[in-house]
Amino acid sequence: MRKLFLFAIVLMSVFFSCTKNDGSTLGSDFVDSHSRLILVDTVTVATSTVKYDSIATSGKNVALVGQYRDGDLGLVSSKSYMEFGMPTFSAISNNATVDSVKLILGYNKYYYGDTTAVQNIYVNRLTSYISGKIYEGSLFNVTHINSADTPLGYLQYTPRPKSRKKIQIPLDKSLGIDFLNKMRGGADEFSSASLFLQYFKGLVVYAGQNDNSAIVGFNASDTSTYIRLFYHINGTLNSDTYYDFQLTNTNEQFNQISSDRSGTALANLGNGLLHKLDAQSTNQITYAQAGVGLATRIEFPYLTEIPKLGNYGTILKATLYIKPLRSSYVHNVSLPSQLNLYSTVSNNQLESAIQNTSGNNATGNLVLDYLHKENTQYTFDITSYLKAKINASYTQNLALILMPANYYSTLDRLIIGGQKNKDVDYQIGVKIYYMVYDE
Amino acid sequence: MMNNLKKIQLVCCLVLAICSSTFCSLSAQNLTNSPYSMFGIGEIESEDMGWNSGMGSTGIGISSSNFLNRINPASYNAIDTLSFIYEFALNARLSKFESASSSQHENRINFKKLDMGFKVKPFWSMALGIVPFSSVGYKVNMQKGVEGSPYENFTDNIQGDGGITRVYWGNSINLTKHFSVGVNSSFLFGSLSQTETLQAGEFTNEVYAVNNTTLKNLYFEFGMQYSNRLNSHLDYTLGAVYANRTKLNKYSTVNVTTSSTVVLLDETTYKGSFTLPEYYGAGLSLTLNKKLTAAADYRFQKWSSVKSENGLASYVDSHRLSVGLQYIPSNRLPKNYFERIYYQAGASMEKTYLCLNGQQQNNYSLSAGLCFPLRFQKSYVHIGVQEGQKGNVSNILFRENYTLVTFGIVMHDFWFIKSKFD
């Protein structure tokens, strides 16, 4: 047994066998390397412009009001609908007299268009319930609510979207008198929120028919948007007394956005999920616009050629480059700071957002270069999307949909070059690092 | 009672053997570091790294009751009745690789053998063991261009690991008093892996492309030996060995991952085979007065019938000629310890199966060794040193100058004889 023990010790020494190994170039002429790395930047990227027939704009806490004639996208206008609640009040003196009644709106800093031009802003009283048009919990950019023919208020002003000041739109004094009388008289209309809404169904705020200025964003939340009824008690000096009718039901506040594209490259683009205009029919340019419902569809029709590069292969990295046209971000309109990219099938319904490495929706990593505008670009890492697509066993018509990130609350627009755009600096493209493993 | 004890001993040894085989196959560690190992199934062990490493690994025509001689399975019959032999060996390989542009030193210590042999019946002997069959170990750094992007490069660090292990069961039978035949039935198994680590400026993560290949099959080597004496002074043995062409079944998988362990590609690729060609060997030995043994071997393997997958490497028929001498001053009544030592010397020349860039690679070595008897009866510690050179430097070729130091233990135990301390 002693021998056996010795034998075991010797055996143990096997476990401590060691080796030293640093890499070198020795043998590099002979080693069988199976890996190749190929840069593919000639993959066909087919783009087209699509238009969604409706997009949900309710509950975004923004009132978009105005009209702008966009040189590329036609006449764009937005109306905003909102509901108000009654103020809290106690017994009102018979000596109270209405001074004025105003709709007060605060800027949310967003604008689209020419803010140097004067805007005519109108307010009309709704004659139908907003809630009557709710469809699957939302109100849409195409939803229309009936309102009174004659405006209740009007203001001509020059927007100062970055200002902290609020705009005050004077409303017909008779509305204030009616409010005050009913409050004082203990009318049923002021006995509950729902009865008040029945009586005062809300307002629509819109710009003048012939305006060509800007579409301005206002805060549409219950504390910053209100109708203010100014009154004073006869015989007192203090006239700065008021009742606030605050915006209520923010989920029923929405923007009705229309766009008349006649005369533009998109004049022939029909509404709806299945309509699209290929880039070649729009001068190798495609468009996207939030609020209106325009988006760019991106397809890779010949991706199946890539796996033919080798026996076994995989996409290591795929980057989509999107180049906004030089003329598309001039003084009046800036580039969307963020874009979103969604996968879709043939009917353009959004499936899932392309995500970045940290698992959030990718936003395009905008790089702005005002000096060399051709360097301005968005990039998306579409590695996992293309890998899924390249391995897809079915021939479903997979595509990507590109749209500004704040698609439901702004009018951000994007105009990008197609792959065959005559200016090579503005062509959309994809760079694929493909690794081939040869047996 | 004694019988049971011996059985326990046998079981223990088997357990050890199994443990070490598990170790060898599972760890798949890099036991080699040689660019010669990047071809086929790696560097195939052409030598039996045991007690005869001091004699140029000569042994086809050697029949010895002191040692196990796996080179010729017919030799097991020389094991004494009632005796039980264990052997263990490891070696250190100190190499210097040279190419036209660089040189580097590589040192490693490897397990070489674990075997045992015993007589089952007077006419029948058996051996069991585990030895490395081939080993892969290399690490090459390459800089390659990205196709389609003329100014972009990526690094491809290629590392090979693994090896094939042989577990064998040898049987030898005396057909006549002078003539014996034997067979080594081996199970060859193992896995070879090649990992390519790709790194390019465009990727923050490295990409690993791992090709794992497992190989296995049964492998049979046949041997025969004829021993007789010419006169009262001179004994001789003639031996021959043969192994038939054998295909090792091969299964490969390719796996591409990144350092953040995202699986990019996970494919079971294909089945295939690697062929071990026919092998022939012949040898003889002459022993004078049971003191001086001179032996010579010639081995041939028909590698030219095997197709290489590597464009710059091909297989050609291998030839190996070796000679060895062993001398013991006195084996009967030694005056001192030095007279009980075996003194060995040998030489070998080999035209290896590898033909690189059109040039067959040669391997020459000189060797010397000593076997020191231990206090136990017929047990030895042996040490052998081989000084050799493989390949040559010209063009893109490289050469290895190596020193192999083999160390081993041979232990003899006697069944059915009660020893005082056991």
Side-chain angles (χ1 to χ4, degrees):
Chain A
M1 284 322 248
R2 193 173 39 172
K3 293 170 224 171
L4 192 65
F5 184 65
L6 178 66
F7 197 60
I9 287 173
V10 174
L11 185 68
M12 289 304 286
S13 69
V14 175
F15 292 81
F16 300 103
S17 299
C18 62
T19 174
K20 182 175 144 290
N21 191 346
D22 303 318
S24 74
T25 55
L26 200 68
S28 58
D29 293 308
F30 295 98
V31 71
D32 260 328
S33 160
H34 301 279
S35 300
R36 289 187 289 143
L37 200 56
I38 304 169
L39 174 65
V40 185
D41 53 6
T42 53
V43 166
T44 302
V45 184
T47 51
S48 54
T49 307
V50 296
K51 164 99 173 55
Y52 290 97
D53 56 358
S54 62
I55 62 171
T57 57
S58 55
K60 302 297 176 194
N61 295 328
V62 60
L64 296 168
V65 179
Q67 180 163 278
Y68 174 60
R69 183 167 292 280
D70 187 310
D72 296 295
L73 294 168
L75 187 67
V76 182
S77 63
S78 179
K79 299 176 178 179
S80 191
Y81 294 83
M82 52 196 82
E83 291 173 347
F84 295 88
M86 59 183 183
T88 51
F89 60 96
S90 48
I92 296 172
S93 161
N94 285 331
N95 291 329
T97 306
V98 173
D99 290 323
S100 64
V101 57
K102 291 172 177 171
L103 172 64
I104 296 180
L105 300 168
Y107 295 108
N108 85 337
K109 296 186 172 141
Y110 178 76
Y111 70 94
Y112 159 66
D114 180 4
T115 55
T116 62
V118 168
Q119 189 180 65
N120 295 293
I121 193 164
Y122 294 89
V123 180
N124 283 30
R125 185 171 176 169
L126 298 183
T127 55
S128 300
Y129 295 112
I130 292 178
S131 56
K133 291 287 181 74
I134 291 177
Y135 176 72
E136 289 185 347
S138 293
L139 294 144
F140 298 85
N141 61 344
V142 293
T143 307
H144 176 79
I145 312 290
N146 293 329
S147 58
D149 291 338
T150 32
L152 192 63
Y154 165 72
L155 177 72
Q156 190 176 56
Y157 78 116
T158 307
R160 303 260 183 279
K162 305 292 179 190
S163 169
R164 286 185 167 192
K165 283 190 176 169
K166 298 183 172 190
I167 67 161
Q168 305 194 350
I169 308 167
L171 304 180
D172 196 325
K173 196 172 175 181
S174 63
L175 177 71
I177 294 167
D178 192 30
F179 278 168
L180 196 71
N181 286 341
K182 287 198 159 64
M183 286 157 75
R184 187 161 42 205
D188 282 348
E189 286 87 340
F190 280 82
S191 62
S192 77
S194 58
L195 286 174
F196 179 75
L197 202 60
Q198 231 172 63
Y199 151 67
F200 189 69
K201 298 184 174 65
L203 298 175
V204 55
V205 186
Y206 60 99
Q209 212 175 351
N210 300 314
D211 276 15
N212 180 15
S213 58
I215 294 178
V216 181
F218 297 101
N219 285 317
S221 55
D222 47 11
T223 54
S224 58
T225 308
Y226 43 85
I227 297 166
R228 183 162 282 184
L229 170 62
F230 291 94
Y231 68 97
H232 71 273
I233 309 292
N234 290 339
T236 62
L237 287 175
N238 186 1
S239 64
D240 194 19
T241 45
Y242 54 82
Y243 290 110
D244 279 349
F245 296 72
Q246 286 183 332
L247 187 139
T248 184
N249 298 339
T250 50
N251 283 334
E252 294 182 8
Q253 183 274 321
F254 75 98
N255 301 306
Q256 182 189 356
I257 299 164
S258 62
S259 121
D260 177 3
R261 293 178 297 280
S262 54
T264 71
L266 299 178
N268 296 325
L269 178 61
N271 253 343
L273 287 172
L274 299 171
H275 286 86
K276 61 174 191 165
L277 270 183
D278 291 334
Q280 59 253 38
S281 63
T282 53
N283 206 15
Q284 285 298 330
I285 294 168
T286 60
Y287 304 83
Q289 186 167 31
V292 172
L294 292 172
T296 287
R297 178 181 164 96
I298 301 167
E299 290 169 79
F300 305 96
Y302 303 113
L303 203 61
T304 46
E305 294 298 309
I306 289 184
K308 295 176 188 165
L309 290 168
N311 278 2
Y312 300 98
T314 185
I315 293 176
L316 290 186
K317 190 175 182 186
T319 312
L320 178 66
Y321 296 87
I322 294 150
K323 303 275 202 165
L325 291 189
R326 188 193 298 256
S327 58
S328 73
Y329 47 112
V330 281
H331 46 283
N332 282 346
V333 183
S334 54
L335 283 177
S337 58
Q338 300 190 327
L339 302 180
N340 281 156
L341 192 61
Y342 294 87
S343 61
T344 182
V345 286
S346 52
N347 63 8
N348 293 329
Q349 252 159 8
L350 304 183
E351 283 189 330
S352 57
I354 302 299
Q355 299 196 318
N356 57 26
T357 45
S358 45
N360 300 317
N361 290 1
T363 56
N365 305 316
L366 173 62
V367 175
L368 268 170
D369 188 340
Y370 286 109
L371 199 58
H372 306 286
K373 284 200 168 181
E374 66 274 14
N375 294 338
T376 294
Q377 66 177 14
Y378 300 89
T379 50
F380 281 94
D381 183 341
I382 54 168
T383 311
S384 45
Y385 167 76
L386 282 193
K387 274 172 59 186
K389 184 163 163 56
I390 217 165
N391 295 329
S393 54
Y394 49 92
T395 53
Q396 207 170 1
N397 191 10
L398 294 172
L400 292 168
I401 294 285
L402 179 70
M403 52 175 58
N406 297 314
Y407 200 63
Y408 307 96
S409 58
T410 69
L411 289 138
D412 284 349
R413 57 159 221 191
L414 182 71
I415 302 176
I416 61 175
Q419 201 179 28
K420 293 186 179 130
N421 191 285
K422 59 184 185 297
D423 190 340
V424 291
D425 288 331
Y426 294 95
Q427 293 172 343
I428 192 172
V430 65
K431 247 172 120 173
I432 298 173
Y433 284 91
Y434 193 71
M435 190 190 122
V436 168
Y437 196 89
D438 296 312
E439 264 310 333
Chain B
M1 178 63 199
M2 208 59 231
N3 214 344
N4 284 343
L5 197 60
K6 294 297 174 187
K7 274 179 186 165
I8 290 166
Q9 205 162 338
L10 178 62
V11 168
C12 287
C13 288
L14 283 171
V15 168
L16 281 176
I18 290 161
C19 287
S20 83
S21 79
T22 312
F23 166 73
C24 286
S25 57
L26 287 188
S27 63
Q29 61 168 359
N30 190 4
L31 290 172
T32 299
N33 195 8
S34 162
Y36 288 106
S37 72
M38 60 179 65
F39 309 102
I41 57 168
E43 246 181 324
I44 297 175
E45 301 280 340
S46 61
E47 294 157 8
D48 180 49
M49 289 297 173
W51 55 273
N52 60 356
S53 65
M55 315 171 53
S57 289
T58 308
I60 295 172
I62 292 179
S63 167
S64 166
S65 64
N66 292 341
F67 308 104
L68 282 174
N69 181 13
R70 187 180 47 80
I71 296 177
N72 189 340
S75 71
Y76 303 140
N77 87 304
I79 297 170
D80 291 331
T81 312
L82 308 183
S83 74
F84 193 107
I85 302 174
Y86 315 85
E87 284 198 24
F88 171 80
L90 48 79
N91 76 6
R93 190 176 183 107
L94 316 170
S95 305
K96 184 187 180 195
F97 288 96
E98 283 175 289
S99 69
S101 58
S102 69
S103 83
Q104 72 190 79
H105 290 270
E106 299 291 346
N107 303 323
R108 70 258 191 193
I109 297 173
N110 291 333
F111 158 76
K112 281 294 158 186
K113 69 189 294 185
L114 177 65
D115 356 58
M116 68 190 84
F118 51 91
K119 203 114 193 161
V120 181
K121 292 268 157 52
F123 62 92
W124 175 24
S125 298
M126 203 182 269
L128 292 169
I130 177 163
V131 292
F133 185 80
S134 76
S135 55
V136 173
Y138 56 88
K139 207 169 183 181
V140 177
N141 298 341
M142 294 177 83
Q143 192 78 23
K144 301 203 286 195
V146 175
E147 293 171 40
S149 182
Y151 305 108
E152 223 175 328
N153 281 329
F154 69 102
T155 57
D156 187 0
N157 294 340
I158 306 175
Q159 184 173 348
D161 295 288
I164 311 259
T165 302
R166 173 211 290 261
V167 174
Y168 76 93
W169 176 40
N171 284 282
S172 162
I173 286 171
N174 284 350
L175 293 182
T176 70
K177 192 187 170 201
H178 300 293
F179 185 63
S180 64
V181 293
V183 58
N184 278 332
S185 311
S186 302
F187 179 56
L188 304 183
F189 65 98
S191 67
L192 316 177
S193 78
Q194 189 192 53
T195 302
E196 292 187 41
T197 305
L198 275 61
Q199 205 173 17
E202 276 289 324
F203 315 113
T204 45
N205 292 331
E206 291 179 332
V207 177
Y208 305 103
V210 184
N211 183 335
N212 259 311
T213 301
T214 60
L215 293 116
K216 61 183 171 206
N217 207 354
L218 295 173
Y219 183 59
F220 298 96
E221 293 158 306
F222 306 93
M224 56 186 178
Q225 268 187 347
Y226 180 81
S227 298
N228 210 337
R229 51 179 31 188
L230 281 175
N231 53 49
S232 57
H233 299 294
L234 205 59
D235 296 290
Y236 70 95
T237 303
L238 300 171
V241 289
Y242 166 76
N244 47 331
R245 191 178 177 84
T246 302
K247 275 190 175 175
L248 299 182
N249 301 319
K250 188 165 134 181
Y251 301 88
S252 297
T253 58
V254 175
N255 204 309
V256 179
T257 57
T258 72
S259 48
S260 53
T261 69
V262 179
V263 174
L264 301 177
L265 187 70
D266 190 4
E267 308 222 21
T268 302
T269 59
Y270 68 107
K271 298 173 182 180
S273 63
F274 182 85
T275 304
L276 297 172
E278 300 89 334
Y279 159 60
Y280 306 89
L284 80 148
S285 70
L286 292 167
T287 303
L288 184 66
N289 292 333
K290 298 199 185 298
K291 283 183 180 176
L292 178 68
T293 302
D297 278 1
Y298 169 71
R299 304 182 207 178
F300 167 78
Q301 198 160 8
K302 204 169 164 41
W303 278 100
S304 59
S305 62
V306 180
K307 202 174 166 338
S308 166
E309 289 174 358
N310 187 304
L312 278 175
S314 59
Y315 297 126
V316 287
D317 291 341
S318 70
H319 303 268
R320 186 178 191 277
L321 190 64
S322 67
V323 290
L325 287 172
Q326 179 169 264
Y327 177 68
I328 182 165
S330 166
N331 61 357
R332 287 273 165 87
L333 297 162
K335 294 192 194 74
N336 57 41
Y337 183 75
F338 296 103
E339 290 197 349
R340 292 170 57 209
I341 296 173
Y342 283 101
Y343 299 87
Q344 300 172 331
S348 74
M349 51 202 290
E350 181 181 9
K351 287 167 123 25
T352 70
Y353 60 91
L354 261 187
C355 181
L356 300 181
N357 202 25
Q359 260 187 293
Q360 186 165 18
Q361 303 297 294
N362 296 328
N363 185 5
Y364 304 100
S365 80
L366 290 173
S367 54
L370 296 166
C371 292
F372 300 101
L374 297 177
R375 215 150 48 84
F376 319 120
Q377 292 196 57
K378 291 182 95 174
S379 290
Y380 300 88
V381 167
H382 62 82
I383 184 161
V385 179
Q386 257 170 288
E387 191 68 41
Q389 180 182 308
K390 191 171 181 179
N392 58 339
V393 179
S394 77
N395 254 336
I396 55 173
L397 294 175
F398 43 88
R399 175 176 66 203
E400 179 188 17
N401 286 310
Y402 60 87
T403 303
L404 272 172
V405 182
T406 306
F407 170 81
I409 292 182
V410 180
M411 303 231 289
H412 244 87
D413 213 345
F414 291 94
W415 294 32
F416 317 117
I417 294 175
K418 189 173 169 62
S419 73
K420 273 185 240 171
F421 307 106
D422 212 351

